[in-house]
Amino acid sequence: MQRRSQRMANDPHSVSDILDELKKAADRGESVSLGDVTEAFGSRSYGPFLMLPALLEISPIGGIPGVPTVLAAIVVLFAGQMAFGREHLWLPGWIEKRAVSSQRVRKAADKVRPIGDWMDRWFHGRLPMLTSRPFELGAAIACILLALTVPPLEFLPFASTAPMAAIAAFGLALLVRDGLLMIVAYGMTVMAIGAGIGLWSSGR
């Protein structure tokens, strides 16, 4: 019961909270695994778990070959569980053990911090009913579609940033219960998928 209460207390409610917990996890050792992150964040809210892979992909970590595709696979895993209404996240062992050096995590968190501070200033609980279950299901499906565009776009410089930015917007909307941002995220989805198809077609 005490551990459950501690996890609930750790559930982030802003982008700054996510980055703070990420740096705390990095300070505990030489590397940070996804299992460490799940333990740090708790598992009641899907928002942080959609945001984190997206923000990492946009950060310098996303420039490592193969990382965008791995992060997209993680988004599909999380969004799929969200679509089926699972109350607690499940991670297969091979994903749970995937780790990045603590130094890279700290640098990525510092790089994303200005964006996170800007998000926290501008986005908060507007039209919260638009983040309820029916819209949450739509967000899960949209995130899966967006993540599926990432592997073919990884070979084009910065092309995967657009779909991951839309996924981050969905994650933030769910995190802070901002229905207006949810609408914006749906618009970003349409643009990102359209742009992705165009870039991939021209790059073939």
Side-chain angles (χ1 to χ4, degrees), residues 45-108:
S45 171
Y46 281 93
F49 294 100
L50 292 176
M51 277 198 69
L52 182 60
L55 290 177
L56 287 177
E57 198 280 337
I58 295 169
S59 78
I61 288 178
I64 303 173
V67 167
T69 296
V70 171
L71 293 173
I74 292 168
V75 168
V76 171
L77 177 64
F78 290 161
Q81 293 182 64
M82 185 171 78
F84 283 102
R86 284 184 60 93
E87 293 185 2
H88 299 284
L89 282 172
W90 171 82
L91 291 176
W94 69 273
I95 288 183
E96 192 172 40
K97 294 176 182 177
R98 296 284 297 195
V100 177
S101 71
S102 294
Q103 183 178 3
R104 283 187 179 274
V105 170
R106 292 190 197 95
K107 288 177 67 174

